[in-house]
Amino acid sequence: MNWIMLPSFILGIIGLLFYVYSIQNKKINRKRFNIIGIYLIILFVFNWLIGFSLSLTFETLVKKELISFLNQPNIEIKINGEKLVPEYSTRVVSELKEIKSLPGHHSSPKDEIELKIISDKDSMTLTIKQDSEKEYEFWVFSDKYNHTKENVIGKLKTLVFIRYYNNNS
């Protein structure tokens, strides 16, 4: 979404400069500069709203896609390339179905594991990153789309992944 947000930010700054310039300079056509400035500021706000809306929509669609993928029969789960035993795999699937958009708390993701979900027809790779403050909170990213490689699709509060992070430390 950076391709929407950055240009709109620049247009907003230019619009603000046009507007301020038109107010302070009495020798120019104020009405024309005011209109251009206000138009660019409105364009800035509109683009930001579109960008955030697309980001939230995309996050929701990818979560639904993940849950649909997890509901397929005969899926196999691998963490860091290691196949999980069926009982543990069932726990992991159950926890992944509980993915949510949790409020932020001034932390960031840190250590990561790769979780691969394999079905008869396809596979999906997730990156699970442990929260920097809460060891039982995990950030989930999907490798399927560029947007979801960089932007979290949701978070989990669980103990099911803890053992993989304690081994990394």
Side-chain angles (χ1 to χ4, degrees), residues 4 17 20 26 33 44-46 65 75 88 91 94 102 105 108 112-113 135 145 154 161 166:
I4 291 177
L17 292 174
V20 169
K26 296 179 182 183
F33 270 77
F44 160 74
V45 171
F46 183 70
E65 185 179 332
I75 60 171
Y88 194 68
R91 279 188 62 202
S94 176
L102 299 174
H105 49 83
S108 59
E112 66 182 59
I113 58 172
E135 73 172 344
Y145 306 101
F161 301 117
N166 290 339

Side-chain angles (χ1 to χ4, degrees), residues 66-95:
L66 170 63
I67 291 169
S68 173
F69 198 88
L70 292 169
N71 285 327
Q72 294 183 61
N74 304 322
I75 60 171
E76 179 182 298
I77 306 287
K78 290 183 178 181
I79 294 182
N80 293 334
E82 185 179 316
K83 184 178 175 183
L84 302 183
V85 295
E87 300 80 31
Y88 194 68
S89 182
T90 302
R91 279 188 62 202
V92 168
V93 168
S94 176
E95 291 293 336

Side-chain angles (χ1 to χ4, degrees), residues 40-59:
L40 290 173
I41 291 170
I42 290 170
L43 190 61
F44 160 74
V45 171
F46 183 70
N47 282 338
W48 271 80
L49 290 174
I50 288 174
F52 281 119
S53 297
L54 285 174
S55 184
L56 291 174
T57 302
F58 204 67
E59 177 185 317

Side-chain angles (χ1 to χ4, degrees), residues 103-111 129-139 155:
H105 49 83
H106 304 291
S107 64
S108 59
K110 56 177 194 170
D111 300 330
K129 297 183 180 184
Q130 189 175 35
D131 188 83
S132 62
E133 292 179 2
K134 297 179 179 178
E135 73 172 344
Y136 60 88
E137 188 171 290
F138 299 91
W139 301 40
K155 295 181 183 177

Side-chain angles (χ1 to χ4, degrees), residues 21-35:
Y21 181 74
S22 71
I23 290 173
Q24 292 181 351
N25 193 336
K26 296 179 182 183
K27 294 181 181 181
I28 60 162
N29 183 350
R30 283 187 179 181
K31 186 175 182 181
R32 184 174 177 202
F33 270 77
N34 277 347
I35 290 172

